[in-house]
Amino acid sequence: MNRARILLAIAAAGLATPAFAASDVTTVTGPGGVTLRSVTVDLPQSDREFPGTDADAINNNCLTCHSAGMVLRQPPFPREKWAEIVNKMIQTYKAPIDAADVPAIVDYLAKR
């Protein structure tokens, strides 16, 4: 499991607070009754990285915005469609993808 530190905002007193088994909970209540609670949770590892020895380019560029699982659950698009999608990420959404990595990313996605 991967441990992550998150902040929960509880907007009003009396609302159900999610139960977390965390030993290092820190709670701060501010003006207006807003409570921030810092907890550590265990996240599943399954979507952490793209699998395979040819996954370096996609792991280094695409995990900033996408989970591996979300991408791998897409339909099996042809190479041309994946190239179009990757270029849209770069041009429209300004994804900081190294141009030299685009062919390897498209190759990886087209093989899945």
Side-chain angles (χ1 to χ4, degrees):
M1 288 286 186
N2 182 35
R3 295 188 74 78
R5 193 119 171 108
I6 62 172
L7 287 176
L8 298 175
I10 312 304
L15 290 179
T17 302
F20 292 98
S23 59
D24 57 340
V25 174
T26 304
T27 302
V28 177
T29 301
V34 174
T35 300
L36 296 178
R37 176 171 286 160
S38 172
V39 297
T40 301
V41 297
D42 291 324
L43 302 173
Q45 288 285 353
S46 62
D47 286 353
R48 297 282 301 150
E49 290 188 343
F50 292 89
T53 57
D54 57 343
D56 286 346
I58 196 164
N59 280 323
N60 292 337
N61 288 280
C62 302
L63 289 175
T64 302
C65 299
H66 303 291
S67 70
M70 187 280 293
V71 174
L72 295 174
R73 285 190 291 275
Q74 299 304 306
F77 294 125
R79 171 179 298 290
E80 296 77 24
K81 180 67 174 176
W82 279 120
E84 178 185 318
I85 292 169
V86 171
N87 284 316
K88 178 176 74 173
M89 296 297 131
I90 296 167
Q91 294 169 7
T92 303
Y93 299 109
K94 307 303 181 207
I97 297 173
D98 187 331
D101 288 338
V102 170
I105 293 169
V106 172
D107 286 346
Y108 184 91
L109 294 168
K111 288 192 293 185
R112 304 290 176 234

XYZ file of all heavy atoms in Angstrom:
835
model
N 0.832 -1.183 0.000
C 0.000 0.000 0.000
C 0.879 1.251 0.000
O 1.948 1.275 0.557
C -0.884 0.030 1.238
C -2.001 -0.978 1.245
S -3.257 -0.437 0.105
C -4.481 -1.642 0.407
N 0.367 2.277 -0.594
C 1.039 3.558 -0.642
C 0.381 4.480 0.371
O -0.825 4.605 0.398
C 0.900 4.135 -2.054
C 1.613 5.439 -2.229
O 2.669 5.651 -1.647
N 1.049 6.323 -3.004
N 1.152 5.137 1.206
C 0.596 6.030 2.216
C 0.562 7.442 1.666
O 1.505 7.909 1.046
C 1.410 5.967 3.490
C 1.324 4.592 4.135
C 1.963 4.552 5.495
N 1.168 5.206 6.500
C 0.093 4.694 7.106
N -0.346 3.520 6.740
N -0.541 5.349 8.045
N -0.546 8.123 1.891
C -0.703 9.499 1.428
C -1.237 10.333 2.576
O -2.023 9.864 3.383
C -1.654 9.556 0.241
N -0.807 11.567 2.644
C -1.272 12.495 3.670
C -2.295 13.413 3.012
O -2.019 14.011 1.978
C -0.101 13.304 4.185
C -0.390 14.054 5.417
C 0.554 13.542 6.503
N 0.441 14.394 7.655
C -0.150 13.995 8.756
N -0.644 12.801 8.843
N -0.234 14.789 9.789
N -3.484 13.504 3.588
C -4.535 14.330 3.014
C -5.142 15.218 4.079
O -5.018 14.949 5.269
C -5.654 13.485 2.357
C -6.339 12.590 3.405
C -5.124 12.651 1.214
C -7.567 11.879 2.894
N -5.785 16.298 3.647
C -6.525 17.185 4.547
C -8.006 17.023 4.267
O -8.434 17.070 3.123
C -6.137 18.645 4.335
C -4.785 19.076 4.847
C -4.542 20.529 4.451
C -4.704 18.935 6.343
N -8.775 16.837 5.314
C -10.224 16.765 5.186
C -10.805 18.035 5.775
O -10.413 18.452 6.856
C -10.785 15.574 5.968
C -10.336 14.196 5.546
C -10.884 13.156 6.509
C -10.811 13.902 4.150
N -11.739 18.649 5.099
C -12.414 19.832 5.635
C -13.807 19.415 6.067
O -14.596 18.941 5.261
C -12.498 20.929 4.586
N -14.105 19.569 7.337
C -15.423 19.271 7.886
C -16.110 20.615 8.062
O -15.713 21.421 8.892
C -15.326 18.524 9.234
C -14.334 17.359 9.162
C -16.701 18.085 9.681
C -14.596 16.344 8.092
N -17.141 20.886 7.251
C -17.719 22.228 7.168
C -18.553 22.622 8.372
O -18.620 23.784 8.728
C -18.549 22.359 5.905
N -19.213 21.707 9.003
C -20.082 22.080 10.118
C -19.993 21.025 11.207
O -19.871 19.845 10.922
C -21.523 22.222 9.637
N -20.084 21.490 12.428
C -20.053 20.558 13.560
C -21.260 19.640 13.476
O -22.345 20.034 13.071
C -20.055 21.335 14.867
N -21.064 18.404 13.860
C -22.163 17.466 13.885
C -22.293 16.624 12.628
O -23.036 15.668 12.603
N -21.570 16.972 11.551
C -21.612 16.147 10.356
C -20.796 14.888 10.601
O -19.826 14.895 11.350
C -21.033 16.894 9.152
C -21.855 18.059 8.612
C -21.115 18.695 7.435
C -23.232 17.591 8.164
N -21.180 13.829 9.932
C -20.450 12.576 10.075
C -19.022 12.769 9.574
O -18.807 13.306 8.497
C -21.142 11.476 9.286
N -18.066 12.359 10.350
C -16.668 12.446 9.986
C -16.218 11.087 9.477
O -16.475 10.085 10.133
C -15.804 12.833 11.207
O -16.289 14.077 11.696
C -14.348 12.953 10.834
N -15.579 11.022 8.310
C -15.100 9.736 7.815
C -14.168 9.092 8.837
O -13.388 9.772 9.490
C -14.337 10.088 6.541
C -14.843 11.440 6.160
C -15.244 12.112 7.421
N -14.270 7.790 8.967
C -13.437 7.066 9.934
C -12.152 6.626 9.252
O -12.191 5.948 8.239
C -14.200 5.862 10.466
N -11.023 7.023 9.788
C -9.731 6.611 9.279
C -8.938 6.023 10.435
O -8.952 6.564 11.539
C -8.937 7.799 8.704
C -9.540 8.359 7.449
C -10.355 9.476 7.483
C -9.297 7.758 6.230
C -10.907 9.987 6.333
C -9.846 8.269 5.063
C -10.648 9.385 5.120
N -8.269 4.943 10.150
C -7.407 4.337 11.156
C -6.044 4.985 11.039
O -5.168 4.489 10.366
C -7.309 2.835 10.937
N -5.890 6.114 11.630
C -4.620 6.836 11.560
C -4.219 7.262 12.955
O -5.018 7.801 13.707
C -4.751 8.051 10.659
N -2.984 7.013 13.270
C -2.516 7.342 14.614
C -2.031 8.779 14.723
O -1.893 9.295 15.824
C -1.383 6.389 15.007
O -0.327 6.510 14.079
N -1.776 9.422 13.596
C -1.203 10.765 13.646
C -2.183 11.805 13.097
O -1.856 12.583 12.240
C 0.123 10.812 12.900
C -0.007 10.359 11.460
O -0.972 9.673 11.105
O 0.889 10.704 10.674
N -3.397 11.801 13.610
C -4.414 12.757 13.178
C -4.175 14.095 13.861
O -3.965 14.166 15.065
C -5.831 12.232 13.513
C -6.874 13.279 13.194
C -6.111 10.952 12.755
N -4.193 15.166 13.069
C -4.084 16.516 13.588
C -5.347 17.251 13.184
O -5.736 17.223 12.024
C -2.858 17.234 12.996
O -1.699 16.462 13.263
C -2.701 18.615 13.568
N -5.998 17.923 14.144
C -7.237 18.642 13.858
C -7.083 20.098 14.264
O -6.561 20.397 15.334
C -8.416 18.018 14.641
O -8.514 16.644 14.274
C -9.715 18.705 14.329
N -7.552 20.996 13.390
C -7.535 22.423 13.664
C -8.900 22.973 13.280
O -9.384 22.722 12.186
C -6.437 23.144 12.843
C -6.468 24.637 13.081
C -5.076 22.572 13.145
N -9.525 23.711 14.179
C -10.811 24.339 13.882
C -10.600 25.838 13.793
O -10.016 26.456 14.676
C -11.855 24.016 14.963
O -12.000 22.596 15.020
C -13.197 24.643 14.642
N -11.088 26.407 12.701
C -10.905 27.829 12.469
C -12.200 28.590 12.639
O -13.220 28.049 13.075
N -12.200 29.861 12.278
C -13.391 30.700 12.383
C -14.538 30.108 11.560
O -14.317 29.522 10.517
C -12.952 32.047 11.795
C -11.460 32.001 11.741
C -11.063 30.572 11.713
N -15.738 30.254 12.037
C -16.899 29.747 11.316
C -17.118 28.262 11.492
O -17.966 27.685 10.839
N -16.346 27.630 12.346
C -16.542 26.214 12.611
C -15.960 25.267 11.589
O -16.237 24.077 11.615
N -15.144 25.774 10.663
C -14.520 24.894 9.677
C -13.377 24.156 10.351
O -12.508 24.766 10.972
C -14.015 25.689 8.452
C -13.239 24.796 7.505
C -15.178 26.342 7.733
N -13.391 22.855 10.216
C -12.363 22.023 10.828
C -11.534 21.362 9.743
O -12.073 20.806 8.798
C -13.003 20.934 11.713
O -13.769 21.568 12.728
C -11.954 20.049 12.349
N -10.225 21.453 9.889
C -9.306 20.733 9.015
C -8.714 19.584 9.801
O -8.248 19.764 10.921
C -8.191 21.651 8.512
C -8.614 22.811 7.628
C -7.391 23.655 7.261
C -9.309 22.320 6.381
N -8.739 18.422 9.194
C -8.191 17.239 9.851
C -7.168 16.626 8.915
O -7.467 16.310 7.774
C -9.302 16.248 10.158
C -8.768 14.955 10.754
C -9.877 14.094 11.256
N -10.337 14.732 12.488
C -11.506 14.523 13.021
N -12.356 13.713 12.460
N -11.849 15.134 14.132
N -5.965 16.467 9.380
C -4.895 15.860 8.608
C -4.822 14.390 9.005
O -4.702 14.068 10.186
C -3.574 16.566 8.920
O -2.511 15.879 8.318
N -4.910 13.520 8.022
C -4.844 12.083 8.286
C -3.930 11.420 7.267
O -3.656 11.973 6.205
C -6.245 11.416 8.227
C -7.163 11.972 9.294
C -6.864 11.555 6.862
N -3.485 10.235 7.577
C -2.711 9.420 6.655
C -3.571 8.225 6.271
O -4.142 7.581 7.142
C -1.406 8.933 7.316
O -0.657 10.092 7.706
C -0.575 8.104 6.361
N -3.684 7.980 4.979
C -4.495 6.867 4.491
C -3.646 5.971 3.596
O -2.656 6.413 3.018
C -5.745 7.348 3.714
C -6.663 8.136 4.619
C -5.362 8.175 2.521
N -4.050 4.719 3.491
C -3.382 3.772 2.606
C -4.123 3.727 1.280
O -5.337 3.510 1.247
C -3.353 2.369 3.224
C -2.440 2.303 4.434
O -1.396 2.973 4.415
O -2.767 1.568 5.381
N -3.402 3.947 0.194
C -3.979 3.921 -1.150
C -3.510 2.656 -1.865
O -2.384 2.204 -1.673
C -3.539 5.152 -1.943
C -3.895 6.493 -1.327
C -3.252 7.622 -2.127
C -5.404 6.669 -1.262
N -4.345 2.093 -2.731
C -3.929 0.891 -3.467
C -2.803 1.203 -4.435
O -2.715 2.312 -4.952
C -5.198 0.457 -4.206
C -6.092 1.641 -4.195
C -5.693 2.516 -3.042
N -1.971 0.233 -4.697
C -0.829 0.388 -5.595
C -1.173 0.131 -7.058
O -0.427 0.500 -7.939
C 0.284 -0.594 -5.203
C 0.988 -0.241 -3.934
C 1.950 0.918 -4.091
O 2.196 1.400 -5.193
N 2.465 1.408 -3.005
N -2.286 -0.493 -7.346
C -2.566 -1.018 -8.672
C -2.472 0.009 -9.793
O -2.072 -0.331 -10.899
C -3.935 -1.679 -8.690
O -4.932 -0.722 -8.395
N -2.861 1.245 -9.559
C -2.854 2.244 -10.622
C -1.669 3.204 -10.522
O -1.674 4.248 -11.141
C -4.145 3.068 -10.577
C -5.338 2.294 -11.082
O -5.140 1.181 -11.587
O -6.450 2.810 -10.975
N -0.672 2.843 -9.771
C 0.425 3.767 -9.532
C 1.261 4.024 -10.783
O 1.714 5.124 -11.006
C 1.331 3.239 -8.420
C 0.643 3.118 -7.093
C 0.492 4.427 -6.377
N 1.790 5.022 -6.160
C 2.012 6.301 -6.094
N 1.038 7.146 -6.191
N 3.210 6.783 -5.915
N 1.530 2.989 -11.577
C 2.365 3.145 -12.763
C 1.861 2.251 -13.884
O 1.181 1.259 -13.642
C 3.819 2.785 -12.459
C 4.512 3.777 -11.565
C 5.996 3.512 -11.445
O 6.446 2.389 -11.784
O 6.704 4.429 -11.027
N 2.239 2.603 -15.093
C 1.933 1.763 -16.236
C 2.886 0.573 -16.206
O 4.077 0.745 -15.972
C 2.118 2.546 -17.539
C 1.101 3.638 -17.724
C 1.327 4.915 -17.240
C -0.086 3.370 -18.386
C 0.391 5.913 -17.411
C -1.036 4.368 -18.560
C -0.798 5.638 -18.068
N 2.378 -0.639 -16.447
C 3.239 -1.817 -16.390
C 4.067 -1.992 -17.662
O 3.719 -1.471 -18.722
C 2.232 -2.960 -16.237
C 0.998 -2.463 -16.917
C 0.973 -0.976 -16.659
N 5.138 -2.732 -17.540
C 5.936 -3.114 -18.699
C 7.283 -2.428 -18.746
O 7.481 -1.360 -18.188
N 8.193 -3.083 -19.452
C 9.547 -2.539 -19.577
C 9.603 -1.368 -20.550
O 10.584 -0.633 -20.574
C 10.524 -3.631 -20.048
O 10.045 -4.162 -21.286
C 10.639 -4.756 -19.023
N 8.530 -1.196 -21.344
C 8.487 -0.106 -22.327
C 7.650 1.072 -21.839
O 7.191 1.887 -22.627
C 7.941 -0.625 -23.654
C 6.559 -1.259 -23.513
O 6.146 -1.588 -22.383
O 5.892 -1.445 -24.546
N 7.459 1.189 -20.524
C 6.545 2.191 -19.971
C 7.233 3.452 -19.442
O 6.555 4.317 -18.891
C 5.713 1.551 -18.857
N 8.522 3.584 -19.614
C 9.223 4.747 -19.050
C 8.649 6.078 -19.535
O 8.390 6.980 -18.736
C 10.719 4.701 -19.361
C 11.450 3.670 -18.523
O 10.861 3.185 -17.532
O 12.598 3.350 -18.870
N 8.449 6.229 -20.837
C 7.986 7.515 -21.381
C 6.603 7.866 -20.858
O 6.348 9.004 -20.466
C 7.996 7.485 -22.906
N 5.698 6.894 -20.825
C 4.340 7.188 -20.372
C 4.308 7.427 -18.867
O 3.589 8.298 -18.374
C 3.336 6.101 -20.836
C 1.908 6.626 -20.707
C 3.541 4.800 -20.099
C 0.887 5.823 -21.461
N 5.110 6.684 -18.107
C 5.174 6.913 -16.660
C 5.761 8.285 -16.344
O 5.302 8.966 -15.435
C 5.997 5.819 -15.970
C 5.195 4.555 -15.764
O 4.008 4.593 -15.477
N 5.844 3.426 -15.923
N 6.758 8.708 -17.103
C 7.424 9.984 -16.839
C 6.602 11.202 -17.270
O 6.849 12.303 -16.796
C 8.781 10.038 -17.533
C 9.764 9.066 -16.939
O 9.633 8.651 -15.792
N 10.744 8.656 -17.721
N 5.648 11.015 -18.168
C 4.923 12.153 -18.719
C 3.441 12.201 -18.377
O 2.879 13.285 -18.263
C 5.061 12.172 -20.245
C 6.435 12.555 -20.702
O 6.782 13.726 -20.728
N 7.254 11.571 -21.034
N 2.794 11.075 -18.241
C 1.331 11.066 -18.181
C 0.761 10.929 -16.767
O -0.399 11.284 -16.540
C 0.783 9.962 -19.078
S 1.311 10.167 -20.811
N 1.555 10.432 -15.837
C 1.042 10.211 -14.481
C 0.838 11.503 -13.697
O 0.221 11.488 -12.646
C 1.965 9.269 -13.702
C 1.933 7.824 -14.174
C 2.968 7.003 -13.411
C 0.548 7.214 -14.038
N 1.316 12.612 -14.212
C 1.088 13.891 -13.552
C -0.406 14.211 -13.506
O -0.909 14.745 -12.526
C 1.835 15.021 -14.294
O 3.213 14.687 -14.329
C 1.631 16.353 -13.625
N -1.109 13.839 -14.565
C -2.537 14.172 -14.667
C -3.457 12.959 -14.647
O -4.642 13.097 -14.347
C -2.807 14.943 -15.960
S -1.903 16.497 -16.060
N -2.963 11.792 -15.010
C -3.808 10.612 -15.169
C -3.297 9.452 -14.329
O -2.091 9.268 -14.214
C -3.816 10.143 -16.623
C -4.266 11.180 -17.592
N -5.551 11.632 -17.649
C -3.588 11.860 -18.549
C -5.653 12.541 -18.600
N -4.472 12.714 -19.152
N -4.225 8.632 -13.832
C -3.809 7.362 -13.229
C -3.612 6.368 -14.368
O -4.242 6.480 -15.426
C -4.877 6.846 -12.266
O -6.022 6.414 -12.975
N -2.739 5.406 -14.137
C -2.524 4.379 -15.154
C -3.825 3.638 -15.426
O -4.166 3.355 -16.573
C -1.423 3.424 -14.706
N -4.573 3.341 -14.377
C -5.815 2.601 -14.539
C -6.816 3.325 -15.413
O -7.489 2.713 -16.250
N -6.936 4.630 -15.247
C -7.877 5.405 -16.058
C -7.505 5.318 -17.534
O -8.356 5.094 -18.395
C -7.895 6.870 -15.599
C -8.971 7.735 -16.283
S -8.595 8.343 -17.935
C -7.266 9.459 -17.646
N -6.241 5.447 -17.837
C -5.796 5.394 -19.232
C -5.961 3.982 -19.795
O -6.458 3.797 -20.908
C -4.330 5.865 -19.362
C -3.819 5.678 -20.782
C -4.195 7.310 -18.927
N -5.574 2.985 -19.021
C -5.616 1.611 -19.515
C -7.036 1.070 -19.663
O -7.246 0.052 -20.324
C -4.779 0.703 -18.611
C -3.285 1.029 -18.612
C -2.556 0.187 -17.577
C -2.691 0.840 -19.998
N -8.012 1.745 -19.077
C -9.410 1.329 -19.237
C -10.083 1.972 -20.451
O -11.261 1.755 -20.707
C -10.207 1.647 -17.970
C -9.916 0.696 -16.829
C -10.873 0.879 -15.668
N -10.694 2.128 -14.956
C -9.819 2.330 -13.976
N -9.024 1.353 -13.591
N -9.747 3.494 -13.377
N -9.329 2.735 -21.229
C -9.874 3.343 -22.442
C -10.039 2.268 -23.519
O -9.373 1.240 -23.488
C -8.957 4.452 -22.949
C -8.766 5.589 -21.968
C -10.089 6.203 -21.532
O -10.894 6.604 -22.359
N -10.309 6.260 -20.226
N -10.900 2.519 -24.485
C -11.054 1.556 -25.587
C -9.738 1.361 -26.334
O -8.870 2.234 -26.307
C -12.092 2.231 -26.499
C -12.781 3.233 -25.647
C -11.790 3.671 -24.606
N -9.595 0.249 -27.004
C -8.357 -0.009 -27.768
C -8.344 0.789 -29.069
O -8.658 0.282 -30.134
C -8.410 -1.516 -28.020
C -9.864 -1.838 -28.026
C -10.502 -0.887 -27.039
N -7.965 2.054 -28.961
C -7.927 2.932 -30.126
C -6.788 2.545 -31.060
O -5.742 2.062 -30.617
C -7.719 4.391 -29.694
C -8.854 4.979 -28.905
C -8.617 5.541 -27.658
C -10.154 4.977 -29.396
C -9.651 6.096 -26.927
C -11.188 5.529 -28.670
C -10.940 6.088 -27.429
N -6.923 2.844 -32.356
C -5.800 2.644 -33.285
C -4.715 3.702 -33.020
O -4.960 4.726 -32.383
C -6.429 2.826 -34.667
C -7.689 3.585 -34.435
C -8.135 3.288 -33.034
N -3.550 3.425 -33.547
C -2.383 4.307 -33.352
C -2.699 5.761 -33.701
O -2.318 6.673 -32.973
C -1.224 3.794 -34.216
C -0.033 4.730 -34.289
C 1.073 4.156 -35.126
N 1.587 2.917 -34.587
C 2.308 2.818 -33.458
N 2.581 3.893 -32.777
N 2.730 1.657 -33.021
N -3.393 6.005 -34.793
C -3.694 7.379 -35.226
C -4.530 8.121 -34.178
O -4.334 9.307 -33.936
C -4.422 7.386 -36.576
C -3.600 6.839 -37.728
C -3.498 5.305 -37.737
O -4.382 4.614 -37.158
O -2.523 4.796 -38.300
N -5.487 7.419 -33.592
C -6.336 8.043 -32.567
C -5.516 8.363 -31.323
O -5.669 9.435 -30.725
C -7.516 7.125 -32.232
C -8.445 7.693 -31.180
C -9.179 8.913 -31.702
C -10.220 9.383 -30.692
N -10.879 10.614 -31.115
N -4.632 7.440 -30.907
C -3.783 7.718 -29.733
C -2.862 8.911 -30.012
O -2.649 9.744 -29.130
C -2.972 6.494 -29.325
C -3.769 5.526 -28.507
C -4.049 4.232 -28.813
C -4.401 5.787 -27.246
N -4.825 3.683 -27.822
C -5.053 4.603 -26.838
C -4.491 6.911 -26.413
C -5.761 4.503 -25.655
C -5.202 6.816 -25.221
C -5.826 5.626 -24.857
N -2.329 9.000 -31.217
C -1.475 10.148 -31.568
C -2.277 11.441 -31.473
O -1.782 12.451 -30.951
C -0.889 9.967 -32.963
N -3.509 11.410 -31.928
C -4.389 12.574 -31.851
C -4.655 12.956 -30.387
O -4.605 14.140 -30.025
C -5.704 12.249 -32.556
C -6.740 13.335 -32.526
C -8.054 12.864 -33.157
O -8.014 12.182 -34.203
O -9.109 13.175 -32.586
N -4.911 11.962 -29.555
C -5.198 12.218 -28.127
C -3.966 12.795 -27.426
O -4.066 13.778 -26.681
C -5.687 10.932 -27.436
C -7.065 10.549 -27.973
C -5.706 11.103 -25.918
C -7.535 9.155 -27.560
N -2.806 12.207 -27.668
C -1.575 12.699 -27.026
C -1.288 14.125 -27.487
O -0.946 14.997 -26.666
C -0.387 11.751 -27.311
C 0.928 12.373 -26.843
C -0.606 10.401 -26.642
N -1.444 14.406 -28.777
C -1.213 15.769 -29.270
C -2.229 16.749 -28.702
O -1.894 17.907 -28.437
C -1.199 15.786 -30.799
C 0.101 15.224 -31.334
O 1.171 15.543 -30.829
N 0.010 14.375 -32.337
N -3.474 16.302 -28.486
C -4.469 17.177 -27.852
C -4.046 17.507 -26.415
O -4.194 18.649 -25.969
C -5.842 16.506 -27.841
C -6.900 17.353 -27.143
C -8.273 16.731 -27.211
C -8.373 15.552 -26.289
N -9.729 14.994 -26.191
N -3.487 16.528 -25.704
C -3.013 16.784 -24.337
C -1.934 17.871 -24.340
O -1.907 18.735 -23.465
C -2.450 15.507 -23.695
C -3.445 14.400 -23.483
S -4.743 14.868 -22.356
C -6.166 14.381 -23.291
N -1.079 17.832 -25.343
C 0.020 18.805 -25.429
C -0.492 20.179 -25.867
O -0.206 21.191 -25.229
C 1.102 18.303 -26.411
C 1.736 17.019 -25.875
C 2.153 19.384 -26.666
C 2.576 16.282 -26.901
N -1.262 20.214 -26.935
C -1.670 21.490 -27.527
C -2.817 22.165 -26.775
O -2.759 23.363 -26.512
C -2.046 21.270 -28.987
C -0.855 20.859 -29.819
C -1.241 20.381 -31.206
O -2.378 20.468 -31.611
N -0.254 19.881 -31.943
N -3.844 21.397 -26.433
C -5.025 21.986 -25.807
C -4.856 22.153 -24.305
O -5.177 23.200 -23.749
C -6.271 21.125 -26.096
O -6.420 21.015 -27.510
C -7.522 21.736 -25.490
N -4.349 21.114 -23.650
C -4.251 21.129 -22.191
C -2.870 21.516 -21.682
O -2.640 21.566 -20.490
C -4.678 19.774 -21.627
C -6.105 19.453 -21.973
C -6.399 18.454 -22.897
C -7.160 20.173 -21.416
C -7.713 18.159 -23.236
C -8.470 19.887 -21.756
C -8.743 18.883 -22.659
O -10.033 18.607 -22.988
N -1.950 21.778 -22.596
C -0.586 22.244 -22.259
C 0.172 21.245 -21.387
O 0.949 21.627 -20.501
C -0.613 23.622 -21.580
C -1.378 24.677 -22.353
C -0.829 24.862 -23.743
C -1.612 25.946 -24.479
N -1.593 25.783 -25.909
N -0.052 19.954 -21.630
C 0.680 18.916 -20.899
C 2.169 19.048 -21.210
O 2.553 19.167 -22.373
C 0.180 17.537 -21.294
N 3.001 19.048 -20.170
C 4.449 19.219 -20.393
C 5.108 17.905 -20.829
O 5.939 17.339 -20.126
C 4.948 19.675 -19.017
C 4.003 19.006 -18.062
C 2.670 18.984 -18.756
N 4.730 17.432 -22.005
C 5.264 16.176 -22.531
C 6.422 16.492 -23.454
O 6.296 17.306 -24.378
C 4.165 15.390 -23.284
C 3.049 15.001 -22.314
C 4.747 14.163 -23.971
C 1.847 14.371 -22.977
N 7.548 15.847 -23.223
C 8.725 16.023 -24.069
C 8.403 15.471 -25.461
O 7.963 14.328 -25.603
C 9.898 15.268 -23.447
C 11.209 15.516 -24.155
O 11.210 15.793 -25.377
O 12.245 15.411 -23.491
N 8.610 16.258 -26.488
C 8.298 15.851 -27.865
C 9.017 14.557 -28.245
O 8.481 13.750 -29.009
C 8.655 16.970 -28.836
N 10.195 14.343 -27.700
C 10.939 13.118 -28.008
C 10.261 11.876 -27.435
O 10.495 10.764 -27.909
C 12.365 13.232 -27.465
N 9.408 12.049 -26.427
C 8.711 10.916 -25.803
C 7.385 10.573 -26.474
O 6.817 9.511 -26.207
C 8.450 11.207 -24.324
C 9.705 11.149 -23.480
O 10.685 10.503 -23.915
O 9.708 11.750 -22.397
N 6.871 11.442 -27.333
C 5.553 11.224 -27.944
C 5.487 9.899 -28.707
O 4.545 9.118 -28.509
C 5.135 12.419 -28.824
C 3.894 12.092 -29.635
C 4.906 13.646 -27.952
N 6.461 9.562 -29.575
C 6.368 8.283 -30.284
C 6.312 7.072 -29.341
O 5.537 6.141 -29.571
C 7.625 8.246 -31.157
C 7.990 9.683 -31.337
C 7.606 10.350 -30.041
N 7.102 7.094 -28.281
C 7.102 5.975 -27.335
C 5.775 5.883 -26.582
O 5.276 4.787 -26.315
C 8.259 6.117 -26.345
N 5.174 7.033 -26.248
C 3.872 7.040 -25.562
C 2.806 6.486 -26.495
O 2.010 5.618 -26.100
C 3.514 8.468 -25.087
C 4.467 8.915 -23.993
C 2.070 8.523 -24.618
C 4.359 10.387 -23.643
N 2.789 6.942 -27.719
C 1.800 6.462 -28.691
C 1.996 4.970 -28.947
O 1.024 4.204 -29.008
C 1.862 7.288 -29.996
C 0.977 6.678 -31.080
C 1.452 8.739 -29.711
N 3.239 4.528 -29.085
C 3.517 3.093 -29.274
C 2.967 2.277 -28.118
O 2.332 1.248 -28.324
C 5.027 2.835 -29.390
C 5.621 3.265 -30.709
O 4.837 3.523 -31.663
O 6.857 3.367 -30.798
N 3.239 2.725 -26.910
C 2.769 2.014 -25.716
C 1.243 1.906 -25.718
O 0.685 0.824 -25.500
C 3.244 2.728 -24.445
C 2.875 2.002 -23.180
C 3.752 1.069 -22.631
C 1.657 2.220 -22.548
C 3.406 0.377 -21.474
C 1.304 1.543 -21.407
C 2.191 0.619 -20.862
O 1.845 -0.081 -19.729
N 0.567 3.012 -25.952
C -0.895 3.013 -25.912
C -1.497 2.190 -27.045
O -2.512 1.510 -26.845
C -1.407 4.457 -25.973
C -1.057 5.305 -24.752
C -1.347 6.763 -25.024
C -1.804 4.807 -23.522
N -0.892 2.216 -28.219
C -1.428 1.474 -29.359
C -1.271 -0.029 -29.179
O -2.060 -0.804 -29.737
C -0.737 1.930 -30.644
N -0.298 -0.465 -28.393
C -0.081 -1.905 -28.161
C -1.036 -2.470 -27.117
O -1.158 -3.673 -26.991
C 1.350 -2.165 -27.706
C 2.361 -2.006 -28.798
C 3.714 -2.544 -28.404
C 4.331 -1.721 -27.301
N 5.695 -2.135 -26.949
N -1.689 -1.641 -26.317
C -2.545 -2.121 -25.218
C -3.922 -2.417 -25.673
O -4.648 -1.906 -26.310
C -2.555 -1.110 -24.064
C -1.177 -0.788 -23.539
C -0.597 -1.979 -22.800
N 0.752 -1.728 -22.364
C 1.765 -2.521 -22.656
N 1.645 -3.555 -23.404
N 2.961 -2.278 -22.192
